[in-house]
Amino acid sequence: MHATVCDYIADLVQNSVEAGASLITLEISTLPEKIEVAVSDNGKGMNSETLRSAVDPFFTEAGKHDHRRVGLGLALLKQTAEAVNGSMKITSQPEHGTEVGFSFDRRHLDTPPPGDIALTLTGLLTFEGDYELKVIRKSLKDEYRISRSELIETLGSLEQITNIALTKDFIKAQEENLLQ
Amino acid sequence: MAKLTLDDLRKLRDEKQKAMNMRDPENKSAQIIVGMGTCGIAAGAKETFNTIIEELTARDISNVLVRQTGCMGFCHSEPTVEVIVEGMPAVIYGNVDTELARKIINRHVISRKLIDNHICDKPAMDIIR
């Protein structure tokens, strides 16, 4: 089990980036009784056989890591969702993309804490590559949206340390406002 | 904190940039790449990433690119961080906790010295490009 919900989110978005997606949408809702997360991408997708194996901890997609057998992300997520009275769902279509959604019951004792959402989102915006990440972030009270393209348009390269630090401050301010 | 808009962010960026240009016109850049695969995430790579940002920002170092990537093939030594400084060999450090992350900035990036006992050798075959 990962330490925080953010770790699962980071894992899913990193999968999307590695699947060659040019558009990734991430929605995170923190509600009093549950946390809901949905990630969808237009990456290379999986056929039904691969999809079935994707949650198997002993499976990894050949080619993604030649000669190695790694790939625990989805398996960890499934295990946790089952352990904390939550749910998870994956749908995928080859050449079209993948959607993964999960929900954890916050009242369950074993549900991991949310983690640092601002820091996680900052990290997810700075992977190598040319991809768009749209974030929709909701609480019971409010919501905000940010996209990688508008941040790059505003700041310039998101690999520059000063811009990464500004991105983190910016998202932190949005989070504080959201959870006030 | 009041809600920031993108315009506020742009203004902040401009201010920073002005201060930066006055300070250091010489632009010798370094790259720091943090491994963010499942293995890295589980071992605390996010805290490492955060420490690197904080340390660089605190020391006003602006000519460093910070990136993230997937698994680098050292799952046994996560979190891993690759450091590429001009004129020095590219090095992958393993077991980079927050303390070592600070050391990497201060010793490797600033003082240009390698850090013993944390350098990973011979990555898995599939990551050698």
Side-chain angles (χ1 to χ4, degrees), chain B residues 44-79:
Chain B
K46 254 192 275 105
E47 284 71 36
T48 304
F49 174 72
N50 192 36
T51 306
I52 290 170
I53 297 171
E54 283 179 355
E55 193 70 11
L56 287 170
T57 312
R59 295 183 168 273
D60 256 353
I61 301 172
S62 54
N63 55 351
V64 174
L65 300 182
V66 180
R67 294 193 172 130
Q68 292 179 91
T69 189
C71 171
M72 292 196 252
F74 294 104
C75 303
H76 48 78
S77 300
E78 293 291 343

mmCIF file of all heavy atoms in Angstrom, chain B residues 44-79:
data_model
loop_
_atom_site.group_PDB
_atom_site.id
_atom_site.type_symbol
_atom_site.label_atom_id
_atom_site.label_comp_id
_atom_site.label_asym_id
_atom_site.label_seq_id
_atom_site.Cartn_x
_atom_site.Cartn_y
_atom_site.Cartn_z
ATOM 1 N N GLY B 44 9.438 7.559 -1.524
ATOM 2 C CA GLY B 44 9.452 8.946 -1.056
ATOM 3 C C GLY B 44 10.089 9.931 -2.021
ATOM 4 O O GLY B 44 10.630 10.959 -1.601
ATOM 5 N N ALA B 45 10.025 9.636 -3.330
ATOM 6 C CA ALA B 45 10.651 10.524 -4.311
ATOM 7 C C ALA B 45 10.019 11.923 -4.321
ATOM 8 O O ALA B 45 10.672 12.900 -4.671
ATOM 9 C CB ALA B 45 10.564 9.911 -5.710
ATOM 10 N N LYS B 46 8.759 11.998 -3.888
ATOM 11 C CA LYS B 46 8.109 13.312 -3.881
ATOM 12 C C LYS B 46 8.752 14.243 -2.854
ATOM 13 O O LYS B 46 8.918 15.428 -3.100
ATOM 14 C CB LYS B 46 6.616 13.167 -3.615
ATOM 15 C CG LYS B 46 5.833 13.412 -4.886
ATOM 16 C CD LYS B 46 4.360 13.571 -4.639
ATOM 17 C CE LYS B 46 3.646 12.274 -4.591
ATOM 18 N NZ LYS B 46 3.233 11.777 -3.305
ATOM 19 N N GLU B 47 9.101 13.684 -1.715
ATOM 20 C CA GLU B 47 9.766 14.489 -0.689
ATOM 21 C C GLU B 47 11.152 14.924 -1.200
ATOM 22 O O GLU B 47 11.593 16.040 -0.951
ATOM 23 C CB GLU B 47 9.917 13.706 0.620
ATOM 24 C CG GLU B 47 8.638 13.578 1.426
ATOM 25 C CD GLU B 47 7.614 12.651 0.789
ATOM 26 O OE1 GLU B 47 8.028 11.633 0.189
ATOM 27 O OE2 GLU B 47 6.413 12.943 0.852
ATOM 28 N N THR B 48 11.805 14.005 -1.903
ATOM 29 C CA THR B 48 13.112 14.330 -2.481
ATOM 30 C C THR B 48 12.972 15.477 -3.478
ATOM 31 O O THR B 48 13.719 16.459 -3.440
ATOM 32 C CB THR B 48 13.691 13.083 -3.196
ATOM 33 O OG1 THR B 48 13.735 12.009 -2.254
ATOM 34 C CG2 THR B 48 15.072 13.346 -3.757
ATOM 35 N N PHE B 49 12.005 15.359 -4.369
ATOM 36 C CA PHE B 49 11.716 16.388 -5.373
ATOM 37 C C PHE B 49 11.455 17.737 -4.691
ATOM 38 O O PHE B 49 12.007 18.768 -5.069
ATOM 39 C CB PHE B 49 10.500 15.923 -6.184
ATOM 40 C CG PHE B 49 9.943 16.912 -7.180
ATOM 41 C CD1 PHE B 49 10.635 17.195 -8.349
ATOM 42 C CD2 PHE B 49 8.710 17.529 -6.964
ATOM 43 C CE1 PHE B 49 10.117 18.081 -9.281
ATOM 44 C CE2 PHE B 49 8.192 18.414 -7.892
ATOM 45 C CZ PHE B 49 8.894 18.694 -9.054
ATOM 46 N N ASN B 50 10.651 17.685 -3.641
ATOM 47 C CA ASN B 50 10.310 18.907 -2.926
ATOM 48 C C ASN B 50 11.543 19.539 -2.276
ATOM 49 O O ASN B 50 11.740 20.755 -2.341
ATOM 50 C CB ASN B 50 9.263 18.589 -1.854
ATOM 51 C CG ASN B 50 8.657 19.830 -1.282
ATOM 52 O OD1 ASN B 50 8.447 20.812 -2.000
ATOM 53 N ND2 ASN B 50 8.380 19.828 0.004
ATOM 54 N N THR B 51 12.378 18.717 -1.680
ATOM 55 C CA THR B 51 13.589 19.235 -1.036
ATOM 56 C C THR B 51 14.502 19.890 -2.065
ATOM 57 O O THR B 51 15.095 20.940 -1.801
ATOM 58 C CB THR B 51 14.347 18.096 -0.322
ATOM 59 O OG1 THR B 51 13.440 17.448 0.559
ATOM 60 C CG2 THR B 51 15.534 18.630 0.456
ATOM 61 N N ILE B 52 14.610 19.270 -3.234
ATOM 62 C CA ILE B 52 15.458 19.837 -4.283
ATOM 63 C C ILE B 52 14.935 21.222 -4.674
ATOM 64 O O ILE B 52 15.692 22.186 -4.764
ATOM 65 C CB ILE B 52 15.507 18.884 -5.505
ATOM 66 C CG1 ILE B 52 16.298 17.627 -5.132
ATOM 67 C CG2 ILE B 52 16.141 19.576 -6.717
ATOM 68 C CD1 ILE B 52 16.225 16.516 -6.139
ATOM 69 N N ILE B 53 13.632 21.331 -4.866
ATOM 70 C CA ILE B 53 13.051 22.637 -5.213
ATOM 71 C C ILE B 53 13.313 23.650 -4.107
ATOM 72 O O ILE B 53 13.748 24.772 -4.350
ATOM 73 C CB ILE B 53 11.525 22.518 -5.448
ATOM 74 C CG1 ILE B 53 11.252 21.608 -6.640
ATOM 75 C CG2 ILE B 53 10.891 23.880 -5.700
ATOM 76 C CD1 ILE B 53 9.793 21.282 -6.789
ATOM 77 N N GLU B 54 13.062 23.225 -2.861
ATOM 78 C CA GLU B 54 13.221 24.162 -1.738
ATOM 79 C C GLU B 54 14.667 24.613 -1.579
ATOM 80 O O GLU B 54 14.937 25.791 -1.365
ATOM 81 C CB GLU B 54 12.713 23.514 -0.444
ATOM 82 C CG GLU B 54 11.199 23.523 -0.384
ATOM 83 C CD GLU B 54 10.660 22.868 0.866
ATOM 84 O OE1 GLU B 54 11.456 22.316 1.657
ATOM 85 O OE2 GLU B 54 9.446 22.890 1.042
ATOM 86 N N GLU B 55 15.577 23.658 -1.696
ATOM 87 C CA GLU B 55 16.987 23.978 -1.495
ATOM 88 C C GLU B 55 17.489 24.914 -2.604
ATOM 89 O O GLU B 55 18.186 25.886 -2.335
ATOM 90 C CB GLU B 55 17.802 22.676 -1.455
ATOM 91 C CG GLU B 55 19.218 22.836 -0.940
ATOM 92 C CD GLU B 55 19.298 23.139 0.560
ATOM 93 O OE1 GLU B 55 18.272 23.022 1.259
ATOM 94 O OE2 GLU B 55 20.399 23.514 1.018
ATOM 95 N N LEU B 56 17.108 24.623 -3.834
ATOM 96 C CA LEU B 56 17.545 25.475 -4.944
ATOM 97 C C LEU B 56 16.956 26.879 -4.810
ATOM 98 O O LEU B 56 17.630 27.880 -5.028
ATOM 99 C CB LEU B 56 17.135 24.867 -6.291
ATOM 100 C CG LEU B 56 17.912 23.623 -6.761
ATOM 101 C CD1 LEU B 56 17.237 23.008 -7.969
ATOM 102 C CD2 LEU B 56 19.363 23.971 -7.090
ATOM 103 N N THR B 57 15.685 26.919 -4.411
ATOM 104 C CA THR B 57 15.022 28.214 -4.267
ATOM 105 C C THR B 57 15.640 28.995 -3.118
ATOM 106 O O THR B 57 15.915 30.190 -3.233
ATOM 107 C CB THR B 57 13.511 28.020 -4.013
ATOM 108 O OG1 THR B 57 13.024 27.079 -4.971
ATOM 109 C CG2 THR B 57 12.744 29.312 -4.192
ATOM 110 N N ALA B 58 15.898 28.306 -2.001
ATOM 111 C CA ALA B 58 16.472 28.976 -0.830
ATOM 112 C C ALA B 58 17.856 29.541 -1.145
ATOM 113 O O ALA B 58 18.256 30.560 -0.612
ATOM 114 C CB ALA B 58 16.563 27.998 0.340
ATOM 115 N N ARG B 59 18.570 28.853 -2.002
ATOM 116 C CA ARG B 59 19.922 29.308 -2.323
ATOM 117 C C ARG B 59 19.947 30.185 -3.571
ATOM 118 O O ARG B 59 21.020 30.503 -4.090
ATOM 119 C CB ARG B 59 20.840 28.107 -2.527
ATOM 120 C CG ARG B 59 20.974 27.350 -1.258
ATOM 121 C CD ARG B 59 21.910 26.198 -1.335
ATOM 122 N NE ARG B 59 22.156 25.731 0.019
ATOM 123 C CZ ARG B 59 23.096 26.225 0.802
ATOM 124 N NH1 ARG B 59 23.918 27.135 0.367
ATOM 125 N NH2 ARG B 59 23.220 25.781 2.027
ATOM 126 N N ASP B 60 18.758 30.510 -4.054
ATOM 127 C CA ASP B 60 18.665 31.412 -5.195
ATOM 128 C C ASP B 60 19.396 30.897 -6.428
ATOM 129 O O ASP B 60 19.999 31.676 -7.167
ATOM 130 C CB ASP B 60 19.252 32.788 -4.819
ATOM 131 C CG ASP B 60 18.133 33.772 -4.574
ATOM 132 O OD1 ASP B 60 16.973 33.390 -4.838
ATOM 133 O OD2 ASP B 60 18.407 34.893 -4.134
ATOM 134 N N ILE B 61 19.376 29.605 -6.615
ATOM 135 C CA ILE B 61 20.017 29.040 -7.802
ATOM 136 C C ILE B 61 18.938 28.874 -8.871
ATOM 137 O O ILE B 61 17.945 28.183 -8.649
ATOM 138 C CB ILE B 61 20.643 27.668 -7.483
ATOM 139 C CG1 ILE B 61 21.672 27.827 -6.377
ATOM 140 C CG2 ILE B 61 21.284 27.072 -8.732
ATOM 141 C CD1 ILE B 61 22.193 26.519 -5.856
ATOM 142 N N SER B 62 19.136 29.542 -10.001
ATOM 143 C CA SER B 62 18.059 29.515 -10.982
ATOM 144 C C SER B 62 18.446 28.813 -12.277
ATOM 145 O O SER B 62 17.609 28.579 -13.128
ATOM 146 C CB SER B 62 17.617 30.943 -11.292
ATOM 147 O OG SER B 62 18.758 31.679 -11.686
ATOM 148 N N ASN B 63 19.720 28.479 -12.425
ATOM 149 C CA ASN B 63 20.146 27.919 -13.709
ATOM 150 C C ASN B 63 20.149 26.392 -13.716
ATOM 151 O O ASN B 63 20.974 25.757 -14.342
ATOM 152 C CB ASN B 63 21.539 28.444 -14.074
ATOM 153 C CG ASN B 63 22.547 28.167 -12.981
ATOM 154 O OD1 ASN B 63 22.166 27.733 -11.895
ATOM 155 N ND2 ASN B 63 23.809 28.400 -13.255
ATOM 156 N N VAL B 64 19.221 25.809 -12.995
ATOM 157 C CA VAL B 64 19.129 24.353 -12.946
ATOM 158 C C VAL B 64 17.773 23.914 -13.480
ATOM 159 O O VAL B 64 16.758 24.499 -13.135
ATOM 160 C CB VAL B 64 19.299 23.855 -11.488
ATOM 161 C CG1 VAL B 64 19.054 22.369 -11.405
ATOM 162 C CG2 VAL B 64 20.687 24.190 -10.977
ATOM 163 N N LEU B 65 17.794 22.911 -14.352
ATOM 164 C CA LEU B 65 16.544 22.341 -14.814
ATOM 165 C C LEU B 65 16.199 21.151 -13.928
ATOM 166 O O LEU B 65 17.065 20.325 -13.665
ATOM 167 C CB LEU B 65 16.668 21.860 -16.257
ATOM 168 C CG LEU B 65 17.028 22.889 -17.325
ATOM 169 C CD1 LEU B 65 17.061 22.217 -18.688
ATOM 170 C CD2 LEU B 65 16.015 24.022 -17.336
ATOM 171 N N VAL B 66 14.966 21.097 -13.485
ATOM 172 C CA VAL B 66 14.550 19.958 -12.672
ATOM 173 C C VAL B 66 13.472 19.200 -13.423
ATOM 174 O O VAL B 66 12.486 19.786 -13.856
ATOM 175 C CB VAL B 66 14.023 20.418 -11.298
ATOM 176 C CG1 VAL B 66 13.602 19.214 -10.472
ATOM 177 C CG2 VAL B 66 15.087 21.201 -10.554
ATOM 178 N N ARG B 67 13.686 17.921 -13.614
ATOM 179 C CA ARG B 67 12.752 17.115 -14.377
ATOM 180 C C ARG B 67 12.387 15.874 -13.593
ATOM 181 O O ARG B 67 13.057 15.514 -12.650
ATOM 182 C CB ARG B 67 13.411 16.632 -15.665
ATOM 183 C CG ARG B 67 13.739 17.698 -16.620
ATOM 184 C CD ARG B 67 14.080 17.039 -17.930
ATOM 185 N NE ARG B 67 14.232 18.062 -18.936
ATOM 186 C CZ ARG B 67 15.278 18.123 -19.744
ATOM 187 N NH1 ARG B 67 16.219 17.217 -19.667
ATOM 188 N NH2 ARG B 67 15.350 19.079 -20.632
ATOM 189 N N GLN B 68 11.349 15.217 -14.086
ATOM 190 C CA GLN B 68 11.023 13.921 -13.491
ATOM 191 C C GLN B 68 10.929 12.905 -14.598
ATOM 192 O O GLN B 68 10.609 13.234 -15.723
ATOM 193 C CB GLN B 68 9.692 14.016 -12.775
ATOM 194 C CG GLN B 68 9.793 14.897 -11.575
ATOM 195 C CD GLN B 68 8.469 14.987 -10.893
ATOM 196 O OE1 GLN B 68 8.161 14.226 -10.014
ATOM 197 N NE2 GLN B 68 7.674 15.917 -11.337
ATOM 198 N N THR B 69 11.217 11.677 -14.254
ATOM 199 C CA THR B 69 11.101 10.626 -15.241
ATOM 200 C C THR B 69 10.567 9.378 -14.563
ATOM 201 O O THR B 69 10.282 9.395 -13.366
ATOM 202 C CB THR B 69 12.474 10.404 -15.926
ATOM 203 O OG1 THR B 69 12.306 9.525 -17.022
ATOM 204 C CG2 THR B 69 13.486 9.807 -14.949
ATOM 205 N N GLY B 70 10.413 8.306 -15.337
ATOM 206 C CA GLY B 70 9.895 7.064 -14.752
ATOM 207 C C GLY B 70 10.991 6.307 -14.043
ATOM 208 O O GLY B 70 11.986 6.882 -13.603
ATOM 209 N N CYS B 71 10.812 5.005 -13.953
ATOM 210 C CA CYS B 71 11.786 4.154 -13.274
ATOM 211 C C CYS B 71 13.087 4.144 -14.049
ATOM 212 O O CYS B 71 13.110 3.964 -15.252
ATOM 213 C CB CYS B 71 11.206 2.741 -13.185
ATOM 214 S SG CYS B 71 12.375 1.527 -12.625
ATOM 215 N N MET B 72 14.215 4.342 -13.360
ATOM 216 C CA MET B 72 15.516 4.354 -14.026
ATOM 217 C C MET B 72 16.221 3.006 -13.921
ATOM 218 O O MET B 72 17.368 2.870 -14.310
ATOM 219 C CB MET B 72 16.401 5.455 -13.427
ATOM 220 C CG MET B 72 15.929 6.859 -13.734
ATOM 221 S SD MET B 72 17.227 8.083 -13.415
ATOM 222 C CE MET B 72 16.607 8.866 -11.946
ATOM 223 N N GLY B 73 15.570 2.016 -13.350
ATOM 224 C CA GLY B 73 16.161 0.688 -13.273
ATOM 225 C C GLY B 73 16.893 0.403 -11.973
ATOM 226 O O GLY B 73 17.649 -0.544 -11.882
ATOM 227 N N PHE B 74 16.673 1.237 -10.985
ATOM 228 C CA PHE B 74 17.326 1.031 -9.689
ATOM 229 C C PHE B 74 16.290 0.939 -8.573
ATOM 230 O O PHE B 74 16.406 1.602 -7.551
ATOM 231 C CB PHE B 74 18.284 2.186 -9.378
ATOM 232 C CG PHE B 74 19.461 2.267 -10.295
ATOM 233 C CD1 PHE B 74 19.505 3.219 -11.294
ATOM 234 C CD2 PHE B 74 20.522 1.382 -10.163
ATOM 235 C CE1 PHE B 74 20.592 3.301 -12.139
ATOM 236 C CE2 PHE B 74 21.612 1.463 -11.007
ATOM 237 C CZ PHE B 74 21.658 2.411 -11.997
ATOM 238 N N CYS B 75 15.274 0.120 -8.811
ATOM 239 C CA CYS B 75 14.168 0.035 -7.848
ATOM 240 C C CYS B 75 14.664 -0.283 -6.435
ATOM 241 O O CYS B 75 14.039 0.089 -5.453
ATOM 242 C CB CYS B 75 13.164 -1.030 -8.273
ATOM 243 S SG CYS B 75 12.493 -0.762 -9.922
ATOM 244 N N HIS B 76 15.786 -0.969 -6.364
ATOM 245 C CA HIS B 76 16.323 -1.357 -5.049
ATOM 246 C C HIS B 76 16.958 -0.181 -4.314
ATOM 247 O O HIS B 76 17.272 -0.272 -3.133
ATOM 248 C CB HIS B 76 17.374 -2.449 -5.234
ATOM 249 C CG HIS B 76 18.374 -2.112 -6.301
ATOM 250 N ND1 HIS B 76 19.402 -1.236 -6.097
ATOM 251 C CD2 HIS B 76 18.443 -2.471 -7.608
ATOM 252 C CE1 HIS B 76 20.098 -1.104 -7.215
ATOM 253 N NE2 HIS B 76 19.519 -1.845 -8.154
ATOM 254 N N SER B 77 17.186 0.929 -5.032
ATOM 255 C CA SER B 77 17.898 2.056 -4.406
ATOM 256 C C SER B 77 17.108 3.355 -4.501
ATOM 257 O O SER B 77 17.676 4.429 -4.523
ATOM 258 C CB SER B 77 19.254 2.257 -5.087
ATOM 259 O OG SER B 77 20.032 1.108 -4.966
ATOM 260 N N GLU B 78 15.795 3.221 -4.609
ATOM 261 C CA GLU B 78 14.979 4.436 -4.722
ATOM 262 C C GLU B 78 14.979 5.211 -3.410
ATOM 263 O O GLU B 78 15.168 4.606 -2.363
ATOM 264 C CB GLU B 78 13.552 4.056 -5.113
ATOM 265 C CG GLU B 78 13.418 3.478 -6.506
ATOM 266 C CD GLU B 78 13.667 4.495 -7.605
ATOM 267 O OE1 GLU B 78 13.624 5.711 -7.311
ATOM 268 O OE2 GLU B 78 13.920 4.078 -8.736
ATOM 269 N N PRO B 79 14.714 6.500 -3.448
ATOM 270 C CA PRO B 79 14.567 7.352 -4.628
ATOM 271 C C PRO B 79 15.913 7.578 -5.346
ATOM 272 O O PRO B 79 16.933 7.708 -4.690
ATOM 273 C CB PRO B 79 14.063 8.679 -4.051
ATOM 274 C CG PRO B 79 13.619 8.389 -2.658
ATOM 275 C CD PRO B 79 14.423 7.217 -2.215
#
